[in-house]
Short mmCIF file of all heavy atoms in Angstrom, two decimals:
data_model
loop_
_atom_site.label_atom_id
_atom_site.label_comp_id
_atom_site.label_asym_id
_atom_site.label_seq_id
_atom_site.Cartn_x
_atom_site.Cartn_y
_atom_site.Cartn_z
N ASP A 1129 0.86 -1.19 0.00
CA ASP A 1129 0.00 0.00 0.00
C ASP A 1129 0.90 1.24 0.00
O ASP A 1129 1.18 1.85 1.04
CB ASP A 1129 -0.91 0.00 1.22
CG ASP A 1129 -1.95 1.12 1.19
OD1 ASP A 1129 -1.89 1.97 0.27
OD2 ASP A 1129 -2.83 1.14 2.08
N VAL A 1130 1.35 1.60 -1.17
CA VAL A 1130 2.33 2.68 -1.32
C VAL A 1130 1.78 4.00 -0.78
O VAL A 1130 2.49 4.78 -0.13
CB VAL A 1130 2.75 2.83 -2.80
CG1 VAL A 1130 3.69 4.01 -2.98
CG2 VAL A 1130 3.40 1.55 -3.29
N GLU A 1131 0.51 4.29 -1.04
CA GLU A 1131 -0.07 5.56 -0.62
C GLU A 1131 -0.12 5.68 0.90
O GLU A 1131 -0.10 6.78 1.44
CB GLU A 1131 -1.46 5.73 -1.22
CG GLU A 1131 -1.45 5.89 -2.73
CD GLU A 1131 -2.84 6.14 -3.29
OE1 GLU A 1131 -3.79 6.27 -2.49
OE2 GLU A 1131 -2.98 6.21 -4.52
N TRP A 1132 -0.21 4.55 1.58
CA TRP A 1132 -0.22 4.59 3.05
C TRP A 1132 1.18 4.85 3.59
O TRP A 1132 1.37 5.58 4.56
CB TRP A 1132 -0.77 3.28 3.62
CG TRP A 1132 -0.77 3.25 5.12
CD1 TRP A 1132 0.13 2.64 5.93
CD2 TRP A 1132 -1.72 3.88 5.98
NE1 TRP A 1132 -0.21 2.84 7.24
CE2 TRP A 1132 -1.33 3.60 7.31
CE3 TRP A 1132 -2.86 4.65 5.76
CZ2 TRP A 1132 -2.04 4.06 8.42
CZ3 TRP A 1132 -3.58 5.12 6.85
CH2 TRP A 1132 -3.17 4.83 8.16
N HIS A 1133 2.17 4.27 2.97
CA HIS A 1133 3.53 4.35 3.49
C HIS A 1133 4.30 5.58 2.99
O HIS A 1133 5.30 5.97 3.60
CB HIS A 1133 4.30 3.08 3.14
CG HIS A 1133 3.76 1.86 3.83
ND1 HIS A 1133 3.92 1.62 5.18
CD2 HIS A 1133 3.02 0.82 3.36
CE1 HIS A 1133 3.33 0.49 5.51
NE2 HIS A 1133 2.77 -0.02 4.42
N ARG A 1134 3.86 6.20 1.89
CA ARG A 1134 4.56 7.38 1.38
C ARG A 1134 4.18 8.60 2.22
O ARG A 1134 3.01 8.87 2.46
CB ARG A 1134 4.22 7.63 -0.09
CG ARG A 1134 4.90 8.87 -0.66
CD ARG A 1134 4.50 9.11 -2.10
NE ARG A 1134 5.12 8.16 -3.00
CZ ARG A 1134 4.46 7.41 -3.88
NH1 ARG A 1134 3.14 7.50 -3.96
NH2 ARG A 1134 5.11 6.59 -4.68
N ILE A 1135 5.19 9.35 2.66
CA ILE A 1135 4.99 10.56 3.45
C ILE A 1135 5.18 11.79 2.56
O ILE A 1135 6.20 11.91 1.86
CB ILE A 1135 5.96 10.61 4.64
CG1 ILE A 1135 5.81 9.36 5.52
CG2 ILE A 1135 5.71 11.87 5.47
CD1 ILE A 1135 4.43 9.18 6.12
N LEU A 1136 4.22 12.69 2.60
CA LEU A 1136 4.27 13.92 1.82
C LEU A 1136 4.51 15.12 2.74
O LEU A 1136 4.11 15.12 3.90
CB LEU A 1136 2.95 14.14 1.08
CG LEU A 1136 2.49 13.05 0.11
CD1 LEU A 1136 1.14 13.45 -0.49
CD2 LEU A 1136 3.52 12.81 -0.98
N ASP A 1137 5.16 16.13 2.18
CA ASP A 1137 5.31 17.41 2.86
C ASP A 1137 4.25 18.37 2.33
O ASP A 1137 4.22 18.66 1.12
CB ASP A 1137 6.69 18.01 2.61
CG ASP A 1137 7.78 17.31 3.39
OD1 ASP A 1137 7.46 16.56 4.34
OD2 ASP A 1137 8.97 17.51 3.06
N VAL A 1138 3.37 18.83 3.21
CA VAL A 1138 2.38 19.84 2.85
C VAL A 1138 2.89 21.17 3.39
O VAL A 1138 3.06 21.34 4.60
CB VAL A 1138 1.00 19.50 3.45
CG1 VAL A 1138 0.02 20.64 3.22
CG2 VAL A 1138 0.46 18.20 2.86
N VAL A 1139 3.18 22.10 2.48
CA VAL A 1139 3.76 23.39 2.88
C VAL A 1139 2.68 24.46 2.85
O VAL A 1139 2.06 24.69 1.81
CB VAL A 1139 4.92 23.78 1.94
CG1 VAL A 1139 5.59 25.06 2.44
CG2 VAL A 1139 5.94 22.65 1.84
N ILE A 1140 2.46 25.08 4.00
CA ILE A 1140 1.45 26.14 4.08
C ILE A 1140 2.11 27.45 4.48
O ILE A 1140 3.20 27.47 5.07
CB ILE A 1140 0.32 25.79 5.08
CG1 ILE A 1140 0.87 25.64 6.50
CG2 ILE A 1140 -0.40 24.53 4.64
CD1 ILE A 1140 -0.22 25.44 7.54
N ALA A 1141 1.43 28.55 4.14
CA ALA A 1141 1.93 29.89 4.44
C ALA A 1141 0.73 30.82 4.61
O ALA A 1141 -0.39 30.48 4.21
CB ALA A 1141 2.84 30.38 3.32
N PRO A 1142 0.93 32.00 5.19
CA PRO A 1142 -0.17 32.96 5.29
C PRO A 1142 -0.65 33.37 3.90
O PRO A 1142 0.14 33.42 2.95
CB PRO A 1142 0.45 34.16 6.02
CG PRO A 1142 1.64 33.60 6.73
CD PRO A 1142 2.15 32.50 5.85
N ASN A 1143 -1.92 33.65 3.78
CA ASN A 1143 -2.47 34.12 2.51
C ASN A 1143 -1.82 35.46 2.15
O ASN A 1143 -1.88 36.42 2.93
CB ASN A 1143 -3.99 34.29 2.64
CG ASN A 1143 -4.66 34.47 1.30
OD1 ASN A 1143 -4.14 35.13 0.41
ND2 ASN A 1143 -5.84 33.88 1.15
N PRO A 1144 -1.16 35.54 1.00
CA PRO A 1144 -0.46 36.80 0.64
C PRO A 1144 -1.41 37.98 0.45
O PRO A 1144 -0.95 39.13 0.40
CB PRO A 1144 0.25 36.44 -0.67
CG PRO A 1144 -0.51 35.27 -1.22
CD PRO A 1144 -1.00 34.51 -0.03
N ALA A 1145 -2.72 37.71 0.35
CA ALA A 1145 -3.67 38.82 0.21
C ALA A 1145 -3.91 39.54 1.54
O ALA A 1145 -4.51 40.62 1.56
CB ALA A 1145 -5.00 38.30 -0.34
N LEU A 1146 -3.45 38.97 2.64
CA LEU A 1146 -3.56 39.62 3.94
C LEU A 1146 -2.50 40.70 4.08
O LEU A 1146 -1.47 40.68 3.39
CB LEU A 1146 -3.40 38.59 5.07
CG LEU A 1146 -4.45 37.49 5.18
CD1 LEU A 1146 -4.03 36.46 6.21
CD2 LEU A 1146 -5.82 38.08 5.54
N THR A 1147 -2.70 41.61 4.99
CA THR A 1147 -1.69 42.63 5.25
C THR A 1147 -0.48 41.98 5.92
O THR A 1147 -0.56 40.87 6.45
CB THR A 1147 -2.23 43.74 6.16
OG1 THR A 1147 -2.49 43.18 7.47
CG2 THR A 1147 -3.52 44.34 5.60
N ALA A 1148 0.63 42.68 5.92
CA ALA A 1148 1.84 42.15 6.54
C ALA A 1148 1.61 41.84 8.02
O ALA A 1148 2.08 40.82 8.53
CB ALA A 1148 2.99 43.14 6.37
N ALA A 1149 0.90 42.72 8.71
CA ALA A 1149 0.62 42.50 10.13
C ALA A 1149 -0.26 41.27 10.33
O ALA A 1149 -0.05 40.48 11.25
CB ALA A 1149 -0.05 43.74 10.73
N GLN A 1150 -1.26 41.12 9.46
CA GLN A 1150 -2.15 39.97 9.56
C GLN A 1150 -1.39 38.67 9.26
O GLN A 1150 -1.62 37.65 9.90
CB GLN A 1150 -3.33 40.13 8.61
CG GLN A 1150 -4.30 41.23 9.02
CD GLN A 1150 -5.32 41.57 7.94
OE1 GLN A 1150 -5.07 41.35 6.74
NE2 GLN A 1150 -6.47 42.10 8.34
N GLN A 1151 -0.49 38.71 8.28
CA GLN A 1151 0.30 37.53 7.97
C GLN A 1151 1.16 37.14 9.16
O GLN A 1151 1.36 35.95 9.44
CB GLN A 1151 1.18 37.79 6.74
CG GLN A 1151 0.40 37.90 5.44
CD GLN A 1151 1.31 38.08 4.24
OE1 GLN A 1151 2.26 37.33 4.07
NE2 GLN A 1151 1.02 39.08 3.41
N ARG A 1152 1.69 38.12 9.88
CA ARG A 1152 2.51 37.83 11.06
C ARG A 1152 1.67 37.13 12.13
O ARG A 1152 2.15 36.21 12.80
CB ARG A 1152 3.11 39.13 11.61
CG ARG A 1152 3.95 38.95 12.87
CD ARG A 1152 5.07 37.96 12.65
NE ARG A 1152 5.83 37.73 13.87
CZ ARG A 1152 6.53 36.64 14.12
NH1 ARG A 1152 6.56 35.66 13.22
NH2 ARG A 1152 7.22 36.52 15.23
N VAL A 1153 0.42 37.54 12.27
CA VAL A 1153 -0.46 36.88 13.24
C VAL A 1153 -0.66 35.41 12.86
O VAL A 1153 -0.62 34.53 13.72
CB VAL A 1153 -1.82 37.61 13.32
CG1 VAL A 1153 -2.82 36.81 14.16
CG2 VAL A 1153 -1.64 39.01 13.91
N ILE A 1154 -0.88 35.15 11.58
CA ILE A 1154 -1.07 33.77 11.13
C ILE A 1154 0.21 32.95 11.35
O ILE A 1154 0.15 31.78 11.75
CB ILE A 1154 -1.46 33.73 9.64
CG1 ILE A 1154 -2.77 34.52 9.42
CG2 ILE A 1154 -1.62 32.29 9.16
CD1 ILE A 1154 -3.93 34.04 10.27
N GLU A 1155 1.37 33.57 11.12
CA GLU A 1155 2.63 32.88 11.39
C GLU A 1155 2.73 32.48 12.86
O GLU A 1155 3.20 31.38 13.18
CB GLU A 1155 3.81 33.78 11.01
CG GLU A 1155 3.95 34.01 9.51
CD GLU A 1155 5.08 34.99 9.19
OE1 GLU A 1155 5.92 35.25 10.08
OE2 GLU A 1155 5.12 35.51 8.06
N LEU A 1156 2.28 33.34 13.74
CA LEU A 1156 2.29 33.03 15.17
C LEU A 1156 1.29 31.93 15.50
O LEU A 1156 1.59 31.02 16.29
CB LEU A 1156 1.97 34.29 15.98
CG LEU A 1156 3.02 35.40 15.96
CD1 LEU A 1156 2.49 36.65 16.65
CD2 LEU A 1156 4.32 34.93 16.64
N ASP A 1157 0.11 31.99 14.88
CA ASP A 1157 -0.92 30.98 15.13
C ASP A 1157 -0.42 29.58 14.82
O ASP A 1157 -0.73 28.62 15.54
CB ASP A 1157 -2.17 31.25 14.27
CG ASP A 1157 -3.02 32.38 14.83
OD1 ASP A 1157 -2.79 32.78 15.99
OD2 ASP A 1157 -3.92 32.85 14.11
N TYR A 1158 0.34 29.44 13.74
CA TYR A 1158 0.77 28.12 13.27
C TYR A 1158 2.24 27.82 13.60
O TYR A 1158 2.77 26.81 13.14
CB TYR A 1158 0.55 28.00 11.76
CG TYR A 1158 -0.90 27.91 11.36
CD1 TYR A 1158 -1.67 29.05 11.14
CD2 TYR A 1158 -1.53 26.67 11.21
CE1 TYR A 1158 -3.01 28.96 10.78
CE2 TYR A 1158 -2.85 26.57 10.85
CZ TYR A 1158 -3.59 27.73 10.64
OH TYR A 1158 -4.92 27.63 10.28
N GLU A 1159 2.88 28.72 14.36
CA GLU A 1159 4.31 28.55 14.70
C GLU A 1159 5.14 28.33 13.43
O GLU A 1159 5.96 27.41 13.34
CB GLU A 1159 4.51 27.38 15.67
CG GLU A 1159 3.97 27.65 17.05
CD GLU A 1159 4.33 26.55 18.04
OE1 GLU A 1159 4.00 25.39 17.76
OE2 GLU A 1159 4.96 26.85 19.06
N MET A 1160 4.93 29.20 12.46
CA MET A 1160 5.67 29.08 11.20
C MET A 1160 7.09 29.57 11.37
O MET A 1160 7.39 30.42 12.23
CB MET A 1160 4.97 29.89 10.11
CG MET A 1160 3.61 29.34 9.72
SD MET A 1160 2.81 30.31 8.41
CE MET A 1160 1.30 29.38 8.18
N THR A 1161 7.97 29.01 10.56
CA THR A 1161 9.37 29.43 10.52
C THR A 1161 9.64 30.07 9.17
O THR A 1161 9.41 29.45 8.13
CB THR A 1161 10.31 28.23 10.73
OG1 THR A 1161 10.02 27.63 12.00
CG2 THR A 1161 11.76 28.67 10.70
N GLU A 1162 10.12 31.31 9.20
CA GLU A 1162 10.38 32.07 7.97
C GLU A 1162 9.15 32.08 7.07
O GLU A 1162 9.23 31.92 5.84
CB GLU A 1162 11.60 31.50 7.23
CG GLU A 1162 12.89 31.63 8.04
CD GLU A 1162 14.10 31.09 7.30
OE1 GLU A 1162 13.90 30.52 6.20
OE2 GLU A 1162 15.21 31.24 7.81
N GLY A 1163 7.99 32.22 7.68
CA GLY A 1163 6.75 32.40 6.92
C GLY A 1163 6.13 31.13 6.38
O GLY A 1163 5.18 31.22 5.59
N GLN A 1164 6.62 29.96 6.78
CA GLN A 1164 6.06 28.71 6.27
C GLN A 1164 6.01 27.64 7.36
O GLN A 1164 6.71 27.72 8.35
CB GLN A 1164 6.89 28.18 5.09
CG GLN A 1164 6.82 29.01 3.83
CD GLN A 1164 7.50 28.33 2.66
OE1 GLN A 1164 8.24 27.36 2.81
NE2 GLN A 1164 7.24 28.82 1.45
N LEU A 1165 5.16 26.66 7.13
CA LEU A 1165 5.08 25.50 8.01
C LEU A 1165 4.97 24.25 7.14
O LEU A 1165 4.17 24.20 6.21
CB LEU A 1165 3.86 25.58 8.94
CG LEU A 1165 3.63 24.35 9.84
CD1 LEU A 1165 4.75 24.23 10.87
CD2 LEU A 1165 2.27 24.45 10.53
N ILE A 1166 5.78 23.25 7.45
CA ILE A 1166 5.71 21.97 6.74
C ILE A 1166 4.98 20.97 7.61
O ILE A 1166 5.38 20.71 8.75
CB ILE A 1166 7.12 21.44 6.40
CG1 ILE A 1166 7.85 22.43 5.48
CG2 ILE A 1166 7.03 20.06 5.76
CD1 ILE A 1166 9.28 22.03 5.19
N VAL A 1167 3.89 20.43 7.09
CA VAL A 1167 3.10 19.41 7.80
C VAL A 1167 3.30 18.09 7.06
O VAL A 1167 3.00 17.98 5.87
CB VAL A 1167 1.60 19.78 7.82
CG1 VAL A 1167 0.81 18.73 8.60
CG2 VAL A 1167 1.40 21.16 8.43
N LYS A 1168 3.79 17.10 7.77
CA LYS A 1168 4.00 15.79 7.16
C LYS A 1168 2.74 14.95 7.28
O LYS A 1168 2.09 14.95 8.33
CB LYS A 1168 5.19 15.08 7.81
CG LYS A 1168 6.53 15.76 7.51
CD LYS A 1168 7.70 14.94 8.00
CE LYS A 1168 9.01 15.60 7.63
NZ LYS A 1168 9.21 15.67 6.16
N THR A 1169 2.39 14.25 6.22
CA THR A 1169 1.18 13.43 6.22
C THR A 1169 1.36 12.23 5.29
O THR A 1169 2.13 12.30 4.33
CB THR A 1169 -0.05 14.25 5.77
OG1 THR A 1169 -1.22 13.43 5.84
CG2 THR A 1169 0.12 14.76 4.35
N ARG A 1170 0.68 11.16 5.59
CA ARG A 1170 0.66 10.03 4.66
C ARG A 1170 -0.10 10.46 3.40
O ARG A 1170 -1.07 11.21 3.48
CB ARG A 1170 -0.04 8.83 5.30
CG ARG A 1170 0.68 8.25 6.51
CD ARG A 1170 -0.09 7.06 7.06
NE ARG A 1170 0.49 6.59 8.31
CZ ARG A 1170 1.48 5.71 8.39
NH1 ARG A 1170 1.98 5.18 7.29
NH2 ARG A 1170 1.96 5.33 9.57
N GLN A 1171 0.34 9.97 2.27
CA GLN A 1171 -0.37 10.29 1.03
C GLN A 1171 -1.84 9.91 1.12
O GLN A 1171 -2.71 10.64 0.66
CB GLN A 1171 0.28 9.57 -0.15
CG GLN A 1171 -0.39 9.85 -1.49
CD GLN A 1171 0.24 9.08 -2.63
OE1 GLN A 1171 1.31 8.49 -2.49
NE2 GLN A 1171 -0.41 9.08 -3.79
N ALA A 1172 -2.13 8.77 1.75
CA ALA A 1172 -3.51 8.30 1.85
C ALA A 1172 -4.38 9.24 2.70
O ALA A 1172 -5.61 9.23 2.58
CB ALA A 1172 -3.54 6.90 2.46
N LEU A 1173 -3.75 10.04 3.55
CA LEU A 1173 -4.49 10.97 4.41
C LEU A 1173 -4.35 12.42 3.96
O LEU A 1173 -4.96 13.31 4.55
CB LEU A 1173 -4.01 10.84 5.86
CG LEU A 1173 -4.14 9.45 6.51
CD1 LEU A 1173 -3.56 9.49 7.93
CD2 LEU A 1173 -5.59 9.00 6.55
N GLY A 1174 -3.57 12.64 2.91
CA GLY A 1174 -3.26 14.00 2.50
C GLY A 1174 -4.46 14.84 2.12
O GLY A 1174 -4.58 16.00 2.54
N PHE A 1175 -5.37 14.26 1.33
CA PHE A 1175 -6.52 15.07 0.89
C PHE A 1175 -7.45 15.37 2.06
O PHE A 1175 -8.06 16.44 2.11
CB PHE A 1175 -7.28 14.36 -0.23
CG PHE A 1175 -8.21 15.28 -0.96
CD1 PHE A 1175 -7.74 16.31 -1.74
CD2 PHE A 1175 -9.60 15.12 -0.86
CE1 PHE A 1175 -8.60 17.16 -2.42
CE2 PHE A 1175 -10.46 15.97 -1.52
CZ PHE A 1175 -9.97 17.00 -2.30
#
């Protein structure tokens, strides 16, 4: 079951349509590093 065992990196960031101050708040909410957060997930659970 390749999709179960394969691990994907899901990279998220603040919506660029937000103001700089609002983006900083989102970075704090998700503990982002340099404006991004990598969430690891099994391919089978990714969607």
Side-chain angles (χ1 to χ4, degrees):
D1129 187 354
V1130 176
E1131 293 184 4
W1132 178 260
H1133 294 288
R1134 179 182 287 127
I1135 303 299
L1136 302 178
D1137 286 344
V1138 173
V1139 185
I1140 63 174
N1143 193 321
L1146 296 172
T1147 66
Q1150 290 169 335
Q1151 290 183 50
R1152 178 57 183 156
V1153 171
I1154 300 304
E1155 291 176 15
L1156 292 173
D1157 282 347
Y1158 289 87
E1159 291 187 304
M1160 294 180 178
T1161 301
E1162 297 181 354
Q1164 292 188 346
L1165 175 67
I1166 298 175
V1167 182
K1168 293 188 177 296
T1169 182
R1170 295 180 187 273
Q1171 180 182 349
L1173 301 178
F1175 196 67

